[in-house]
Amino acid sequence: MGNQLLRVLVVDDDFMIAKLHGNFIASQKGYQLVGTSHSFEESLAMMDKVQPDLLLLDVYLPDKSGIELLRTIRLQNRRCDVILITAAKELEIVEDAFRFGIIDYLIKPFDLTQLQKALSKYAKFKSRLSTSNKLDQGTIDDLKKLRISESSSIHLNHKGIDLRTLVKIKKCVSHSPESLSADQIAKLAGVSLSTTRTYLSYMVEEQELIEEQQYGTVGRPLRLYRVEN
């Protein structure tokens, strides 16, 4: 990638939110904000002009949905990646988005730290891809770790990970001001303890959660989980 900046188009029907996200992206090293748009038609027209590397795409647009825009981008074979902004109740939409190859998604409400992490991960992916002179299995595995759609999507059935359950459990942890045990998370999420432990191990492996150990006076240490700050 060298010194080439990653070009980002922000798509959001809310003008203030689009401006906020745009200003934040413009402040990030290695990124260039090339515009903001607020509808399906405006976004397609702007993409022709600015040729973005990445879209920060909201689901709700006044004329057609963000998923329709994503589908159109893929049908037109545009070389552009997408980070989707959605809400936890729209899990079916997230499933469709993964099928169309989003690289990440942010569930509302989210803070700018989460957006910064997504941008950092994407920049690492693009840099690794551009500097990989030889593609072997090790390189491919490293690249896959930087693509959330390859590691956290509903298609990873061989790991037993279901997106709905994943989002439900992560939401319980992220909304808690304190670290939680697996038993506490299971009760909050309404999921069995064994299933909860499987998902917690997965999220720790994917560096989405931090696992801590709390030592008492008797017995084994208690494992607690929290979202990385």
Side-chain angles (χ1 to χ4, degrees):
M1 188 172 62
N3 295 322
Q4 185 176 353
L5 298 177
L6 292 169
R7 300 163 59 82
V8 183
L9 174 64
V10 175
V11 182
D12 199 302
D13 67 324
D14 188 314
F15 284 72
M16 293 300 295
I17 294 297
K19 183 178 180 180
L20 173 66
H21 291 163
N23 288 341
F24 183 78
I25 288 170
S27 72
Q28 299 302 298
K29 183 179 180 180
Y31 281 92
Q32 177 186 5
L33 177 68
V34 294
T36 58
S37 58
H38 313 287
S39 70
F40 176 94
E41 295 297 340
E42 183 186 12
S43 299
L44 283 180
M46 286 198 67
M47 288 185 70
D48 289 332
K49 295 178 181 179
V50 302
Q51 297 295 312
D53 299 296
L54 177 68
L55 256 64
L56 183 62
L57 175 61
D58 192 16
V59 167
Y60 289 117
L61 300 176
D63 42 3
K64 294 183 180 181
S65 74
I67 295 298
E68 285 298 318
L69 179 59
L70 177 58
R71 180 182 288 111
T72 300
I73 290 170
R74 296 297 176 245
L75 289 174
Q76 295 179 352
N77 293 318
R78 293 175 182 259
R79 297 176 63 86
C80 181
D81 290 309
V82 174
I83 294 176
L84 187 72
I85 301 175
T86 184
K89 64 182 180 181
E90 300 164 329
L91 296 176
E92 292 79 8
I93 292 178
V94 176
E95 291 178 16
D96 286 340
F98 274 125
R99 294 188 182 103
F100 289 112
I102 62 169
I103 64 161
D104 208 339
Y105 67 92
L106 298 174
I107 296 178
K108 294 180 177 178
F110 65 89
D111 58 39
L112 294 178
T113 300
Q114 291 173 284
L115 176 56
Q116 184 179 42
K117 289 180 180 179
L119 293 173
S120 176
K121 196 171 186 179
Y122 179 64
K124 289 178 182 177
F125 172 82
K126 294 292 285 186
S127 177
R128 187 79 56 83
L129 189 63
S130 65
T131 56
S132 298
N133 297 322
K134 180 181 178 181
L135 288 179
D136 53 24
Q137 190 60 52
T139 302
I140 295 298
D141 289 344
D142 286 342
L143 289 170
K144 286 167 62 178
K145 292 177 182 178
L146 295 170
R147 299 277 297 201
I148 190 170
S149 58
E150 293 290 344
S151 61
S152 298
S153 81
I154 57 171
H155 302 299
L156 286 187
N157 292 328
H158 66 282
K159 284 194 174 184
I161 300 301
D162 172 74
L163 181 62
R164 292 179 179 87
T165 307
L166 183 72
V167 171
K168 182 187 294 185
I169 291 175
K170 186 173 182 180
K171 183 179 178 181
C172 291
V173 181
S174 62
H175 286 188
S176 173
E178 300 177 348
S179 299
L180 299 174
S181 68
D183 186 62
Q184 289 173 313
I185 296 166
K187 291 177 181 178
L188 287 171
V191 179
S192 72
L193 181 57
S194 60
T195 297
T196 299
R197 284 173 173 161
T198 297
Y199 280 75
L200 291 174
S201 295
Y202 172 78
M203 284 186 274
V204 170
E205 179 185 341
E206 294 298 318
Q207 299 181 340
E208 295 182 24
L209 295 181
I210 298 295
E211 182 183 78
E212 304 169 325
Q213 292 190 351
Q214 185 180 82
Y215 292 89
T217 57
V218 180
R220 293 182 298 177
L222 180 65
R223 294 182 179 181
L224 300 175
Y225 301 87
R226 62 177 175 83
V227 175
E228 184 177 6
N229 296 324

PDB file of all heavy atoms in Angstrom, residues 25-51:
ATOM      1  N   ILE A  25     -12.980   9.766  10.350  1.00  0.00           N
ATOM      2  CA  ILE A  25     -12.182   9.030   9.358  1.00  0.00           C
ATOM      3  C   ILE A  25     -11.062   9.909   8.810  1.00  0.00           C
ATOM      4  O   ILE A  25      -9.927   9.462   8.643  1.00  0.00           O
ATOM      5  CB  ILE A  25     -13.082   8.515   8.217  1.00  0.00           C
ATOM      6  CG1 ILE A  25     -13.949   7.357   8.740  1.00  0.00           C
ATOM      7  CG2 ILE A  25     -12.261   8.074   7.015  1.00  0.00           C
ATOM      8  CD1 ILE A  25     -15.035   6.928   7.803  1.00  0.00           C
ATOM      9  N   ALA A  26     -11.377  11.164   8.547  1.00  0.00           N
ATOM     10  CA  ALA A  26     -10.368  12.082   8.023  1.00  0.00           C
ATOM     11  C   ALA A  26      -9.217  12.292   8.998  1.00  0.00           C
ATOM     12  O   ALA A  26      -8.104  12.634   8.587  1.00  0.00           O
ATOM     13  CB  ALA A  26     -11.020  13.424   7.681  1.00  0.00           C
ATOM     14  N   SER A  27      -9.473  12.079  10.292  1.00  0.00           N
ATOM     15  CA  SER A  27      -8.435  12.266  11.301  1.00  0.00           C
ATOM     16  C   SER A  27      -7.545  11.034  11.483  1.00  0.00           C
ATOM     17  O   SER A  27      -6.541  11.100  12.194  1.00  0.00           O
ATOM     18  CB  SER A  27      -9.075  12.613  12.655  1.00  0.00           C
ATOM     19  OG  SER A  27      -9.728  11.481  13.218  1.00  0.00           O
ATOM     20  N   GLN A  28      -7.909   9.912  10.840  1.00  0.00           N
ATOM     21  CA  GLN A  28      -7.169   8.669  11.028  1.00  0.00           C
ATOM     22  C   GLN A  28      -5.989   8.573  10.057  1.00  0.00           C
ATOM     23  O   GLN A  28      -6.134   8.835   8.861  1.00  0.00           O
ATOM     24  CB  GLN A  28      -8.093   7.468  10.828  1.00  0.00           C
ATOM     25  CG  GLN A  28      -9.263   7.415  11.801  1.00  0.00           C
ATOM     26  CD  GLN A  28      -8.818   7.394  13.242  1.00  0.00           C
ATOM     27  OE1 GLN A  28      -8.142   6.473  13.686  1.00  0.00           O
ATOM     28  NE2 GLN A  28      -9.199   8.426  13.985  1.00  0.00           N
ATOM     29  N   LYS A  29      -4.845   8.187  10.596  1.00  0.00           N
ATOM     30  CA  LYS A  29      -3.652   8.027   9.779  1.00  0.00           C
ATOM     31  C   LYS A  29      -3.867   6.971   8.704  1.00  0.00           C
ATOM     32  O   LYS A  29      -4.369   5.887   8.987  1.00  0.00           O
ATOM     33  CB  LYS A  29      -2.462   7.645  10.659  1.00  0.00           C
ATOM     34  CG  LYS A  29      -1.148   7.523   9.905  1.00  0.00           C
ATOM     35  CD  LYS A  29      -0.018   7.164  10.854  1.00  0.00           C
ATOM     36  CE  LYS A  29       1.311   7.026  10.116  1.00  0.00           C
ATOM     37  NZ  LYS A  29       2.417   6.670  11.035  1.00  0.00           N
ATOM     38  N   GLY A  30      -3.498   7.310   7.481  1.00  0.00           N
ATOM     39  CA  GLY A  30      -3.612   6.368   6.378  1.00  0.00           C
ATOM     40  C   GLY A  30      -4.936   6.412   5.649  1.00  0.00           C
ATOM     41  O   GLY A  30      -5.145   5.661   4.692  1.00  0.00           O
ATOM     42  N   TYR A  31      -5.833   7.295   6.097  1.00  0.00           N
ATOM     43  CA  TYR A  31      -7.166   7.371   5.494  1.00  0.00           C
ATOM     44  C   TYR A  31      -7.445   8.754   4.911  1.00  0.00           C
ATOM     45  O   TYR A  31      -6.949   9.764   5.411  1.00  0.00           O
ATOM     46  CB  TYR A  31      -8.242   7.036   6.529  1.00  0.00           C
ATOM     47  CG  TYR A  31      -8.397   5.555   6.766  1.00  0.00           C
ATOM     48  CD1 TYR A  31      -7.671   4.918   7.773  1.00  0.00           C
ATOM     49  CD2 TYR A  31      -9.240   4.792   5.974  1.00  0.00           C
ATOM     50  CE1 TYR A  31      -7.800   3.547   7.987  1.00  0.00           C
ATOM     51  CE2 TYR A  31      -9.383   3.429   6.185  1.00  0.00           C
ATOM     52  CZ  TYR A  31      -8.668   2.818   7.184  1.00  0.00           C
ATOM     53  OH  TYR A  31      -8.786   1.466   7.386  1.00  0.00           O
ATOM     54  N   GLN A  32      -8.269   8.766   3.879  1.00  0.00           N
ATOM     55  CA  GLN A  32      -8.705  10.013   3.266  1.00  0.00           C
ATOM     56  C   GLN A  32     -10.218   9.962   3.071  1.00  0.00           C
ATOM     57  O   GLN A  32     -10.742   9.023   2.450  1.00  0.00           O
ATOM     58  CB  GLN A  32      -8.030  10.222   1.903  1.00  0.00           C
ATOM     59  CG  GLN A  32      -8.501  11.477   1.170  1.00  0.00           C
ATOM     60  CD  GLN A  32      -7.926  11.588  -0.227  1.00  0.00           C
ATOM     61  OE1 GLN A  32      -7.234  10.683  -0.698  1.00  0.00           O
ATOM     62  NE2 GLN A  32      -8.203  12.680  -0.899  1.00  0.00           N
ATOM     63  N   LEU A  33     -10.930  10.918   3.624  1.00  0.00           N
ATOM     64  CA  LEU A  33     -12.362  11.025   3.389  1.00  0.00           C
ATOM     65  C   LEU A  33     -12.578  11.648   2.010  1.00  0.00           C
ATOM     66  O   LEU A  33     -12.132  12.764   1.754  1.00  0.00           O
ATOM     67  CB  LEU A  33     -13.022  11.892   4.457  1.00  0.00           C
ATOM     68  CG  LEU A  33     -14.523  12.131   4.278  1.00  0.00           C
ATOM     69  CD1 LEU A  33     -15.295  10.843   4.496  1.00  0.00           C
ATOM     70  CD2 LEU A  33     -15.001  13.226   5.225  1.00  0.00           C
ATOM     71  N   VAL A  34     -13.261  10.921   1.128  1.00  0.00           N
ATOM     72  CA  VAL A  34     -13.477  11.437  -0.229  1.00  0.00           C
ATOM     73  C   VAL A  34     -14.904  11.926  -0.438  1.00  0.00           C
ATOM     74  O   VAL A  34     -15.234  12.434  -1.520  1.00  0.00           O
ATOM     75  CB  VAL A  34     -13.123  10.371  -1.293  1.00  0.00           C
ATOM     76  CG1 VAL A  34     -11.631  10.078  -1.268  1.00  0.00           C
ATOM     77  CG2 VAL A  34     -13.933   9.095  -1.096  1.00  0.00           C
ATOM     78  N   GLY A  35     -15.734  11.807   0.597  1.00  0.00           N
ATOM     79  CA  GLY A  35     -17.078  12.343   0.465  1.00  0.00           C
ATOM     80  C   GLY A  35     -18.070  11.690   1.406  1.00  0.00           C
ATOM     81  O   GLY A  35     -17.785  10.677   2.038  1.00  0.00           O
ATOM     82  N   THR A  36     -19.240  12.323   1.513  1.00  0.00           N
ATOM     83  CA  THR A  36     -20.370  11.754   2.234  1.00  0.00           C
ATOM     84  C   THR A  36     -21.582  11.789   1.319  1.00  0.00           C
ATOM     85  O   THR A  36     -21.736  12.715   0.507  1.00  0.00           O
ATOM     86  CB  THR A  36     -20.684  12.538   3.525  1.00  0.00           C
ATOM     87  OG1 THR A  36     -20.961  13.907   3.188  1.00  0.00           O
ATOM     88  CG2 THR A  36     -19.525  12.477   4.500  1.00  0.00           C
ATOM     89  N   SER A  37     -22.419  10.782   1.434  1.00  0.00           N
ATOM     90  CA  SER A  37     -23.652  10.739   0.650  1.00  0.00           C
ATOM     91  C   SER A  37     -24.783  10.242   1.536  1.00  0.00           C
ATOM     92  O   SER A  37     -24.539   9.650   2.591  1.00  0.00           O
ATOM     93  CB  SER A  37     -23.483   9.834  -0.580  1.00  0.00           C
ATOM     94  OG  SER A  37     -23.124   8.512  -0.192  1.00  0.00           O
ATOM     95  N   HIS A  38     -26.019  10.475   1.082  1.00  0.00           N
ATOM     96  CA  HIS A  38     -27.148  10.272   1.983  1.00  0.00           C
ATOM     97  C   HIS A  38     -28.290   9.468   1.362  1.00  0.00           C
ATOM     98  O   HIS A  38     -29.355   9.366   1.957  1.00  0.00           O
ATOM     99  CB  HIS A  38     -27.665  11.633   2.448  1.00  0.00           C
ATOM    100  CG  HIS A  38     -26.575  12.557   2.905  1.00  0.00           C
ATOM    101  ND1 HIS A  38     -25.912  12.375   4.106  1.00  0.00           N
ATOM    102  CD2 HIS A  38     -25.988  13.627   2.309  1.00  0.00           C
ATOM    103  CE1 HIS A  38     -24.983  13.315   4.236  1.00  0.00           C
ATOM    104  NE2 HIS A  38     -25.010  14.082   3.162  1.00  0.00           N
ATOM    105  N   SER A  39     -28.061   8.886   0.186  1.00  0.00           N
ATOM    106  CA  SER A  39     -29.091   8.073  -0.458  1.00  0.00           C
ATOM    107  C   SER A  39     -28.441   7.052  -1.385  1.00  0.00           C
ATOM    108  O   SER A  39     -27.234   7.133  -1.674  1.00  0.00           O
ATOM    109  CB  SER A  39     -30.044   8.958  -1.271  1.00  0.00           C
ATOM    110  OG  SER A  39     -29.369   9.485  -2.413  1.00  0.00           O
ATOM    111  N   PHE A  40     -29.237   6.112  -1.838  1.00  0.00           N
ATOM    112  CA  PHE A  40     -28.762   5.069  -2.756  1.00  0.00           C
ATOM    113  C   PHE A  40     -28.237   5.683  -4.056  1.00  0.00           C
ATOM    114  O   PHE A  40     -27.103   5.416  -4.470  1.00  0.00           O
ATOM    115  CB  PHE A  40     -29.930   4.111  -3.044  1.00  0.00           C
ATOM    116  CG  PHE A  40     -29.625   3.039  -4.045  1.00  0.00           C
ATOM    117  CD1 PHE A  40     -29.180   1.787  -3.639  1.00  0.00           C
ATOM    118  CD2 PHE A  40     -29.819   3.257  -5.410  1.00  0.00           C
ATOM    119  CE1 PHE A  40     -28.909   0.783  -4.561  1.00  0.00           C
ATOM    120  CE2 PHE A  40     -29.554   2.269  -6.334  1.00  0.00           C
ATOM    121  CZ  PHE A  40     -29.087   1.032  -5.905  1.00  0.00           C
ATOM    122  N   GLU A  41     -29.050   6.500  -4.691  1.00  0.00           N
ATOM    123  CA  GLU A  41     -28.677   7.065  -5.988  1.00  0.00           C
ATOM    124  C   GLU A  41     -27.476   8.005  -5.879  1.00  0.00           C
ATOM    125  O   GLU A  41     -26.572   7.982  -6.724  1.00  0.00           O
ATOM    126  CB  GLU A  41     -29.877   7.810  -6.599  1.00  0.00           C
ATOM    127  CG  GLU A  41     -31.057   6.926  -6.958  1.00  0.00           C
ATOM    128  CD  GLU A  41     -30.724   5.909  -8.038  1.00  0.00           C
ATOM    129  OE1 GLU A  41     -29.728   6.118  -8.780  1.00  0.00           O
ATOM    130  OE2 GLU A  41     -31.447   4.905  -8.151  1.00  0.00           O
ATOM    131  N   GLU A  42     -27.465   8.826  -4.852  1.00  0.00           N
ATOM    132  CA  GLU A  42     -26.339   9.744  -4.665  1.00  0.00           C
ATOM    133  C   GLU A  42     -25.043   8.971  -4.435  1.00  0.00           C
ATOM    134  O   GLU A  42     -23.980   9.339  -4.940  1.00  0.00           O
ATOM    135  CB  GLU A  42     -26.612  10.678  -3.490  1.00  0.00           C
ATOM    136  CG  GLU A  42     -25.508  11.718  -3.266  1.00  0.00           C
ATOM    137  CD  GLU A  42     -25.717  12.554  -2.019  1.00  0.00           C
ATOM    138  OE1 GLU A  42     -26.578  12.205  -1.182  1.00  0.00           O
ATOM    139  OE2 GLU A  42     -24.996  13.553  -1.874  1.00  0.00           O
ATOM    140  N   SER A  43     -25.137   7.875  -3.708  1.00  0.00           N
ATOM    141  CA  SER A  43     -23.944   7.077  -3.399  1.00  0.00           C
ATOM    142  C   SER A  43     -23.354   6.459  -4.660  1.00  0.00           C
ATOM    143  O   SER A  43     -22.127   6.492  -4.852  1.00  0.00           O
ATOM    144  CB  SER A  43     -24.294   5.981  -2.388  1.00  0.00           C
ATOM    145  OG  SER A  43     -24.756   6.531  -1.179  1.00  0.00           O
ATOM    146  N   LEU A  44     -24.194   5.892  -5.514  1.00  0.00           N
ATOM    147  CA  LEU A  44     -23.689   5.303  -6.756  1.00  0.00           C
ATOM    148  C   LEU A  44     -23.032   6.367  -7.635  1.00  0.00           C
ATOM    149  O   LEU A  44     -21.976   6.124  -8.235  1.00  0.00           O
ATOM    150  CB  LEU A  44     -24.825   4.623  -7.518  1.00  0.00           C
ATOM    151  CG  LEU A  44     -25.293   3.266  -6.999  1.00  0.00           C
ATOM    152  CD1 LEU A  44     -26.420   2.731  -7.873  1.00  0.00           C
ATOM    153  CD2 LEU A  44     -24.138   2.261  -6.964  1.00  0.00           C
ATOM    154  N   ALA A  45     -23.653   7.539  -7.711  1.00  0.00           N
ATOM    155  CA  ALA A  45     -23.086   8.616  -8.521  1.00  0.00           C
ATOM    156  C   ALA A  45     -21.744   9.076  -7.956  1.00  0.00           C
ATOM    157  O   ALA A  45     -20.787   9.304  -8.709  1.00  0.00           O
ATOM    158  CB  ALA A  45     -24.067   9.795  -8.582  1.00  0.00           C
ATOM    159  N   MET A  46     -21.636   9.175  -6.634  1.00  0.00           N
ATOM    160  CA  MET A  46     -20.389   9.611  -6.021  1.00  0.00           C
ATOM    161  C   MET A  46     -19.293   8.560  -6.177  1.00  0.00           C
ATOM    162  O   MET A  46     -18.122   8.888  -6.356  1.00  0.00           O
ATOM    163  CB  MET A  46     -20.600   9.937  -4.546  1.00  0.00           C
ATOM    164  CG  MET A  46     -21.328  11.238  -4.302  1.00  0.00           C
ATOM    165  SD  MET A  46     -21.103  11.858  -2.612  1.00  0.00           S
ATOM    166  CE  MET A  46     -19.361  12.259  -2.631  1.00  0.00           C
ATOM    167  N   MET A  47     -19.678   7.285  -6.121  1.00  0.00           N
ATOM    168  CA  MET A  47     -18.682   6.226  -6.287  1.00  0.00           C
ATOM    169  C   MET A  47     -18.022   6.303  -7.648  1.00  0.00           C
ATOM    170  O   MET A  47     -16.827   6.039  -7.795  1.00  0.00           O
ATOM    171  CB  MET A  47     -19.326   4.856  -6.080  1.00  0.00           C
ATOM    172  CG  MET A  47     -19.684   4.554  -4.640  1.00  0.00           C
ATOM    173  SD  MET A  47     -20.317   2.882  -4.405  1.00  0.00           S
ATOM    174  CE  MET A  47     -18.802   1.926  -4.678  1.00  0.00           C
ATOM    175  N   ASP A  48     -18.793   6.657  -8.668  1.00  0.00           N
ATOM    176  CA  ASP A  48     -18.222   6.819 -10.011  1.00  0.00           C
ATOM    177  C   ASP A  48     -17.174   7.933 -10.031  1.00  0.00           C
ATOM    178  O   ASP A  48     -16.174   7.853 -10.746  1.00  0.00           O
ATOM    179  CB  ASP A  48     -19.331   7.144 -11.021  1.00  0.00           C
ATOM    180  CG  ASP A  48     -20.229   5.937 -11.281  1.00  0.00           C
ATOM    181  OD1 ASP A  48     -19.743   4.794 -11.140  1.00  0.00           O
ATOM    182  OD2 ASP A  48     -21.401   6.150 -11.631  1.00  0.00           O
ATOM    183  N   LYS A  49     -17.399   8.966  -9.230  1.00  0.00           N
ATOM    184  CA  LYS A  49     -16.510  10.123  -9.242  1.00  0.00           C
ATOM    185  C   LYS A  49     -15.279   9.929  -8.364  1.00  0.00           C
ATOM    186  O   LYS A  49     -14.155  10.257  -8.774  1.00  0.00           O
ATOM    187  CB  LYS A  49     -17.268  11.374  -8.772  1.00  0.00           C
ATOM    188  CG  LYS A  49     -18.401  11.804  -9.701  1.00  0.00           C
ATOM    189  CD  LYS A  49     -19.110  13.021  -9.129  1.00  0.00           C
ATOM    190  CE  LYS A  49     -20.260  13.458 -10.028  1.00  0.00           C
ATOM    191  NZ  LYS A  49     -20.982  14.636  -9.458  1.00  0.00           N
ATOM    192  N   VAL A  50     -15.467   9.390  -7.162  1.00  0.00           N
ATOM    193  CA  VAL A  50     -14.371   9.386  -6.184  1.00  0.00           C
ATOM    194  C   VAL A  50     -13.651   8.045  -6.062  1.00  0.00           C
ATOM    195  O   VAL A  50     -12.580   7.972  -5.457  1.00  0.00           O
ATOM    196  CB  VAL A  50     -14.872   9.831  -4.796  1.00  0.00           C
ATOM    197  CG1 VAL A  50     -15.480  11.224  -4.875  1.00  0.00           C
ATOM    198  CG2 VAL A  50     -15.894   8.842  -4.227  1.00  0.00           C
ATOM    199  N   GLN A  51     -14.242   6.964  -6.595  1.00  0.00           N
ATOM    200  CA  GLN A  51     -13.604   5.635  -6.599  1.00  0.00           C
ATOM    201  C   GLN A  51     -13.077   5.247  -5.212  1.00  0.00           C
ATOM    202  O   GLN A  51     -11.876   5.087  -5.008  1.00  0.00           O
ATOM    203  CB  GLN A  51     -12.465   5.609  -7.623  1.00  0.00           C
ATOM    204  CG  GLN A  51     -12.898   5.826  -9.061  1.00  0.00           C
ATOM    205  CD  GLN A  51     -13.779   4.698  -9.587  1.00  0.00           C
ATOM    206  OE1 GLN A  51     -13.460   3.530  -9.428  1.00  0.00           O
ATOM    207  NE2 GLN A  51     -14.894   5.071 -10.198  1.00  0.00           N
TER     208      GLN A  51
END
